[in-house]
Amino acid sequence: MEHIRNFCIIAHIDHGKSTLADRMLEYTNTIKITENQMLDDMDLERERGITIKSHAIQMEYKHNGENYILNLIDTPGHVDFSYEVSRSIAACEGALLVVDATQGVQAQTISNLYMAIDHDLEIIPVINKIDMPNAMPDEVEDEIVDLIGCDPSEIIRASGKTGEGVPDILDAVVERIPAPKGDKTKPLQALIFDSIFNSFRGIIVLCKVENGVIRTGDKLKFVQTGMEYTADEVGVLKMDMEPRKQLSTGEVGYVISGIKNATEVKVGETITHVDEPCDKAIEGFQEVKPMVFAGVYPIDPNEYENLRASLEKLQLNDAALTFMPESSQALGFGFRCGFLGLLHMEIVQERLDREFNMEVITTVPNVSYMVYDKQGHAMEVHNPSGLPDPTLIDHIEEPYIRASIITAAEYIGPIMRLCLDKRGELLDQQYVSGNRVELHFMLPLGEIVIDFYDKLKSISKGYASFDYHIDSYRPSKLAKLDILLNGEPVDALSTLTHQDNAVTLGRRMCEKLKDLIPRQQFDIAIQAAIGAKIVARETVKQVRKDVLAKCYGGDVSRKRKLLEKQKKGKKRMKQIGNVQVPQKAFLAVLKLD
């Protein structure tokens, strides 16, 4: 156990975590690097250049003549995947805090650092990308010293591209990070920090052994669900899985026990032996709270059960995804899914399409509101169609977040304007170092959920970094905006929005839908309504068949007779006419700007 080190790499987006991990794998001869970002094995991760999943891998390293086993976990940097980071941190004793030499400390760096400090991890600060022509290692070093209060000599300068400084990092991991604590002789306790679905082997559980030993063939029991299994195979994670006879205290590895049902495995669960169980479960993770809710519906209603199975398998791999069944008048049966943010929602949609061949329609995303009725009872509402009758509502409270934005001083004006337009209030501002400022705002979550992050990046030319956490619920004047097509409400397009924005939003939605809904044989009225009051209207004109083409001259009464006949047919058609809203229209409503 003295020769095991478990550590993760944490950083802001694009600070070079995965590239640095590549260099470590190369230096320790774990694998031959054939392409960049070896640990990002999903096509999506490669295409977008982001890490979506935490990836664990074992390396062997010789230090002062002794062999050490290093378990490295590479984590995502985007705020939407911070849950992955918290799980990785729970399986480690130390963390490399990577900071980009060209960009300095950013918002996600700080929030990931606090998460690691809460778990009492040993922090090793690393300045990456020092080979870049615009690197400022000295200024960044000062920022890190201010942030952590460490000695400048403890900060390692490295480059993921050239491999400079990588041996120093590996030495620091061995020397500074403590070996795992635990007792081999105690009853088995292992913490599940991730799981993968394999169509041949069932569910593969990734775990860290806190106490005791798991051997192949052991009878295992999951503490919270009480289910019992046999360990068919245990092993460690190299680039592929390597079977071993046993996993002992302090080791990170996998267990395959032929579990077929996705609902039986929960991240944060404790594994123990059937014969000699442990007295209590390990303190796991907090239940993750979704921030954004959207309905996900199969395009073909017969695919409903397949969609449920796909979501269950995806949830194994991505524990932050939550879902429950719901139905909609316009779209039939589907699920109300909870996501950590818009990027998370987009990635889940992509993965459903690529990994499970599921074509889905996603409704307008919204957040959860607390609705109080006149008797003082509170209910949580995720979906505008779930709102009680307006006459019964006393008031509605919406979630507010505390946002921290770090940016260069010259962008303060436009960023403040953006936040104030989103009904935000400035709490304080402080200079971090040089000309970099940290601003704290209180903002309604509903305002930032659609396009805030994109706007912030474009205003600040990509230099502002943003991080947030839920603060509290506050009373707010909210109105439910309905979209009616030919007088029929389309529940998938209804949204809850602030009264001041409702009329302009309704007008913009109607204009957008007018361009996107294909013309039919009858007029389609698109209306935006708040309660019974119509606030905007657009009409999609009918496609007319020219019934007068065969009339050449002659009496006007013949023409009128033909037009009247056509009018009757149109009227009958309108009664049974069902307006098809294309998927494009749902997505375009999100990107109204």
Side-chain angles (χ1 to χ4, degrees), residues 53-94:
K53 286 287 305 158
S54 299
H55 298 275
I57 190 163
Q58 191 178 89
M59 308 181 283
E60 286 165 16
Y61 181 58
K62 208 173 184 114
H63 178 71
N64 292 345
E66 295 197 32
N67 289 326
Y68 287 86
I69 290 174
L70 311 182
N71 290 313
L72 153 75
I73 303 181
D74 176 28
T75 64
H78 197 283
V79 62
D80 279 12
F81 304 112
S82 52
Y83 187 61
E84 290 285 327
V85 182
S86 71
R87 290 163 26 187
S88 310
I89 284 175
C92 295
E93 280 82 34

Coordinates of all heavy atoms in Angstrom, one line a residue, residues 53-94:
K53 N -16.2 12.6 -19.8 CA -16.2 11.6 -18.8 C -14.8 11.6 -18.1 O -13.8 11.9 -18.7 CB -16.3 10.2 -19.4 CG -17.6 9.8 -19.9 CD -18.6 9.5 -18.8 CE -18.1 8.5 -17.9 NZ -18.7 8.6 -16.6
S54 N -14.8 11.3 -16.8 CA -13.6 11.1 -16.1 C -13.0 9.8 -16.6 O -13.7 8.8 -16.8 CB -13.8 11.0 -14.6 OG -14.4 12.1 -14.1
H55 N -11.7 9.7 -16.8 CA -11.1 8.5 -17.2 C -10.0 8.0 -16.3 O -9.1 8.8 -15.9 CB -10.4 8.6 -18.6 CG -11.5 9.0 -19.7 ND1 -12.2 8.0 -20.3 CD2 -11.9 10.2 -20.1 CE1 -13.0 8.6 -21.1 NE2 -12.9 9.9 -21.0
A56 N -10.0 6.8 -15.8 CA -9.0 6.3 -14.8 C -8.0 5.4 -15.6 O -8.4 4.6 -16.5 CB -9.7 5.5 -13.7
I57 N -6.7 5.5 -15.2 CA -5.7 4.6 -15.8 C -4.6 4.4 -14.8 O -4.3 5.3 -14.0 CB -5.2 5.2 -17.2 CG1 -4.4 4.2 -17.9 CG2 -4.5 6.5 -17.0 CD1 -4.2 4.5 -19.4
Q58 N -4.0 3.2 -14.9 CA -2.9 2.9 -13.9 C -1.5 3.0 -14.6 O -1.4 2.5 -15.8 CB -3.1 1.5 -13.4 CG -2.2 1.2 -12.2 CD -2.5 -0.2 -11.6 OE1 -1.9 -1.1 -12.1 NE2 -3.4 -0.3 -10.7
M59 N -0.6 3.6 -14.0 CA 0.8 3.7 -14.5 C 1.8 3.1 -13.5 O 1.5 3.1 -12.3 CB 1.2 5.2 -14.7 CG 0.2 6.0 -15.5 SD 0.7 7.7 -15.7 CE 0.4 8.4 -14.2
E60 N 2.9 2.6 -14.0 CA 3.9 2.2 -13.1 C 5.1 3.1 -13.2 O 5.5 3.4 -14.3 CB 4.3 0.7 -13.4 CG 3.2 -0.3 -13.0 CD 3.4 -1.6 -13.6 OE1 4.5 -1.9 -14.1 OE2 2.4 -2.4 -13.5
Y61 N 5.7 3.5 -12.1 CA 6.8 4.5 -12.1 C 7.9 4.1 -11.1 O 7.6 3.7 -10.0 CB 6.2 5.9 -11.8 CG 7.2 7.0 -11.8 CD1 8.0 7.3 -13.0 CD2 7.4 7.8 -10.7 CE1 8.9 8.3 -13.0 CE2 8.3 8.8 -10.7 CZ 9.0 9.1 -11.9 OH 10.0 10.1 -11.9
K62 N 9.1 4.2 -11.6 CA 10.3 3.9 -10.7 C 10.8 5.2 -10.1 O 11.2 6.1 -10.8 CB 11.3 3.2 -11.5 CG 12.2 2.2 -10.7 CD 13.1 1.4 -11.6 CE 13.9 0.4 -10.8 NZ 13.6 -0.9 -11.1
H63 N 10.9 5.2 -8.8 CA 11.4 6.4 -8.1 C 12.4 6.0 -7.0 O 12.0 5.2 -6.1 CB 10.2 7.2 -7.5 CG 10.6 8.5 -6.8 ND1 11.1 9.6 -7.4 CD2 10.6 8.7 -5.4 CE1 11.3 10.5 -6.5 NE2 11.1 10.0 -5.3
N64 N 13.6 6.5 -7.1 CA 14.7 6.2 -6.1 C 14.8 4.6 -6.0 O 14.9 4.1 -4.9 CB 14.4 6.7 -4.7 CG 14.5 8.2 -4.7 OD1 15.0 8.8 -5.7 ND2 14.0 8.9 -3.7
G65 N 14.7 4.0 -7.1 CA 14.9 2.5 -7.1 C 13.8 1.7 -6.7 O 13.8 0.4 -6.6
E66 N 12.6 2.3 -6.3 CA 11.5 1.6 -5.9 C 10.3 1.7 -6.9 O 10.2 2.8 -7.5 CB 11.0 2.1 -4.5 CG 12.0 1.8 -3.4 CD 11.4 1.9 -2.0 OE1 10.2 1.6 -1.9 OE2 12.1 2.3 -1.1
N67 N 9.5 0.7 -7.1 CA 8.4 0.7 -8.0 C 7.2 1.2 -7.4 O 6.8 0.8 -6.3 CB 8.2 -0.6 -8.6 CG 9.3 -1.1 -9.5 OD1 9.9 -0.2 -10.2 ND2 9.6 -2.3 -9.6
Y68 N 6.5 2.2 -8.0 CA 5.3 2.8 -7.5 C 4.1 2.5 -8.5 O 4.4 2.5 -9.7 CB 5.4 4.3 -7.2 CG 6.2 4.6 -6.0 CD1 7.6 4.7 -6.1 CD2 5.7 4.8 -4.8 CE1 8.4 5.0 -5.0 CE2 6.4 5.1 -3.7 CZ 7.8 5.2 -3.8 OH 8.5 5.5 -2.7
I69 N 2.9 2.4 -8.0 CA 1.7 2.3 -8.8 C 1.0 3.6 -8.7 O 0.6 4.0 -7.6 CB 0.8 1.1 -8.4 CG1 1.5 -0.2 -8.8 CG2 -0.5 1.2 -9.1 CD1 0.8 -1.4 -8.3
L70 N 0.8 4.3 -9.9 CA 0.1 5.6 -9.8 C -1.2 5.4 -10.5 O -1.3 5.0 -11.7 CB 0.9 6.7 -10.6 CG 2.4 6.8 -10.2 CD1 3.0 8.0 -11.0 CD2 2.5 7.1 -8.7
N71 N -2.3 5.7 -9.9 CA -3.7 5.7 -10.5 C -4.1 7.1 -10.8 O -4.3 7.9 -9.9 CB -4.7 5.0 -9.5 CG -4.5 3.6 -9.4 OD1 -4.3 2.8 -10.3 ND2 -4.5 3.1 -8.1
L72 N -4.2 7.4 -12.1 CA -4.5 8.8 -12.5 C -5.9 8.8 -13.0 O -6.4 7.9 -13.7 CB -3.5 9.1 -13.7 CG -4.0 10.2 -14.7 CD1 -3.9 11.5 -14.1 CD2 -3.1 10.1 -15.9
I73 N -6.6 9.9 -12.6 CA -8.0 10.1 -13.2 C -8.0 11.5 -13.8 O -7.7 12.5 -13.2 CB -9.1 10.1 -12.1 CG1 -9.0 8.7 -11.3 CG2 -10.4 10.3 -12.7 CD1 -10.0 8.5 -10.3
D74 N -8.2 11.5 -15.2 CA -8.3 12.7 -15.9 C -9.8 13.2 -15.9 O -10.7 12.4 -16.1 CB -7.9 12.5 -17.4 CG -8.0 13.7 -18.2 OD1 -7.9 14.8 -17.7 OD2 -8.2 13.6 -19.5
T75 N -10.0 14.5 -15.5 CA -11.4 14.9 -15.3 C -11.8 16.0 -16.3 O -11.0 16.6 -16.9 CB -11.6 15.5 -13.9 OG1 -10.8 16.7 -13.8 CG2 -11.1 14.6 -12.8
P76 N -13.1 16.2 -16.5 CA -13.6 17.3 -17.4 C -13.4 18.6 -16.7 O -13.2 18.7 -15.5 CB -15.1 17.0 -17.5 CG -15.3 15.7 -17.0 CD -14.3 15.4 -16.0
G77 N -13.4 19.7 -17.6 CA -13.2 21.0 -17.0 C -14.4 21.9 -17.1 O -14.5 22.9 -16.4
H78 N -15.4 21.5 -17.9 CA -16.6 22.4 -18.1 C -17.5 22.3 -16.8 O -17.7 21.3 -16.2 CB -17.4 21.9 -19.3 CG -18.3 23.0 -19.8 ND1 -19.5 23.2 -19.2 CD2 -18.3 23.8 -20.8 CE1 -20.2 24.1 -19.8 NE2 -19.4 24.6 -20.8
V79 N -18.1 23.5 -16.5 CA -18.9 23.6 -15.3 C -20.1 22.6 -15.3 O -20.5 22.1 -14.3 CB -19.4 25.0 -15.1 CG1 -20.3 25.5 -16.2 CG2 -20.2 25.2 -13.8
D80 N -20.6 22.2 -16.5 CA -21.7 21.2 -16.6 C -21.3 19.8 -16.1 O -22.2 19.0 -15.9 CB -22.2 21.1 -18.0 CG -23.2 22.3 -18.3 OD1 -23.2 23.2 -17.5 OD2 -23.8 22.2 -19.4
F81 N -20.0 19.5 -16.1 CA -19.6 18.2 -15.7 C -18.8 18.2 -14.4 O -18.0 17.3 -14.1 CB -18.7 17.6 -16.8 CG -19.3 17.6 -18.2 CD1 -18.9 18.4 -19.2 CD2 -20.4 16.8 -18.4 CE1 -19.5 18.4 -20.4 CE2 -21.1 16.8 -19.7 CZ -20.6 17.6 -20.7
S82 N -19.1 19.2 -13.6 CA -18.4 19.2 -12.3 C -18.8 18.0 -11.4 O -18.0 17.7 -10.5 CB -18.7 20.5 -11.6 OG -20.1 20.7 -11.4
Y83 N -19.9 17.4 -11.6 CA -20.2 16.2 -10.8 C -19.2 15.0 -11.1 O -18.8 14.3 -10.2 CB -21.6 15.7 -11.2 CG -22.1 14.6 -10.3 CD1 -22.2 14.8 -8.9 CD2 -22.4 13.3 -10.8 CE1 -22.6 13.8 -8.1 CE2 -22.8 12.3 -9.9 CZ -22.9 12.6 -8.6 OH -23.3 11.6 -7.7
E84 N -18.8 14.9 -12.3 CA -17.7 13.9 -12.7 C -16.5 14.2 -11.8 O -15.8 13.3 -11.3 CB -17.3 14.0 -14.1 CG -18.3 13.6 -15.1 CD -18.4 12.1 -15.2 OE1 -17.4 11.4 -15.0 OE2 -19.6 11.6 -15.4
V85 N -16.2 15.5 -11.7 CA -15.0 15.9 -10.9 C -15.1 15.5 -9.5 O -14.2 15.0 -8.8 CB -14.7 17.4 -11.1 CG1 -13.4 17.8 -10.3 CG2 -14.6 17.8 -12.5
S86 N -16.3 15.8 -8.9 CA -16.5 15.5 -7.5 C -16.4 14.0 -7.2 O -15.9 13.6 -6.2 CB -17.9 16.0 -7.0 OG -18.9 15.2 -7.5
R87 N -16.8 13.2 -8.1 CA -16.7 11.7 -8.0 C -15.2 11.3 -8.0 O -14.8 10.4 -7.3 CB -17.5 11.0 -9.0 CG -18.9 11.1 -8.8 CD -19.8 10.8 -10.0 NE -19.2 9.8 -10.9 CZ -19.8 9.6 -12.1 NH1 -20.9 10.2 -12.4 NH2 -19.3 8.7 -12.9
S88 N -14.5 11.9 -9.0 CA -13.1 11.5 -9.1 C -12.3 11.9 -7.9 O -11.4 11.2 -7.4 CB -12.5 12.3 -10.3 OG -13.3 12.1 -11.4
I89 N -12.6 13.1 -7.3 CA -11.9 13.6 -6.1 C -12.2 12.6 -5.0 O -11.3 12.4 -4.2 CB -12.4 15.0 -5.8 CG1 -11.8 16.0 -6.8 CG2 -12.1 15.4 -4.4 CD1 -12.2 17.4 -6.7
A90 N -13.4 12.0 -4.9 CA -13.7 11.1 -3.8 C -12.8 9.9 -3.8 O -12.6 9.2 -2.8 CB -15.1 10.8 -3.8
A91 N -12.3 9.5 -5.0 CA -11.5 8.3 -5.2 C -10.0 8.6 -5.1 O -9.2 7.7 -5.3 CB -11.8 7.6 -6.5
C92 N -9.6 9.8 -4.7 CA -8.2 10.1 -4.7 C -7.7 10.7 -3.4 O -8.5 11.0 -2.5 CB -7.9 11.3 -5.7 SG -8.3 10.7 -7.4
E93 N -6.4 10.7 -3.2 CA -5.8 11.4 -2.0 C -5.0 12.7 -2.4 O -4.6 13.4 -1.5 CB -4.7 10.4 -1.4 CG -5.3 9.3 -0.5 CD -5.8 8.1 -1.3 OE1 -5.1 7.8 -2.4 OE2 -6.8 7.5 -0.9
G94 N -4.9 12.9 -3.7 CA -4.2 14.1 -4.1 C -4.7 14.6 -5.5 O -5.4 13.9 -6.2

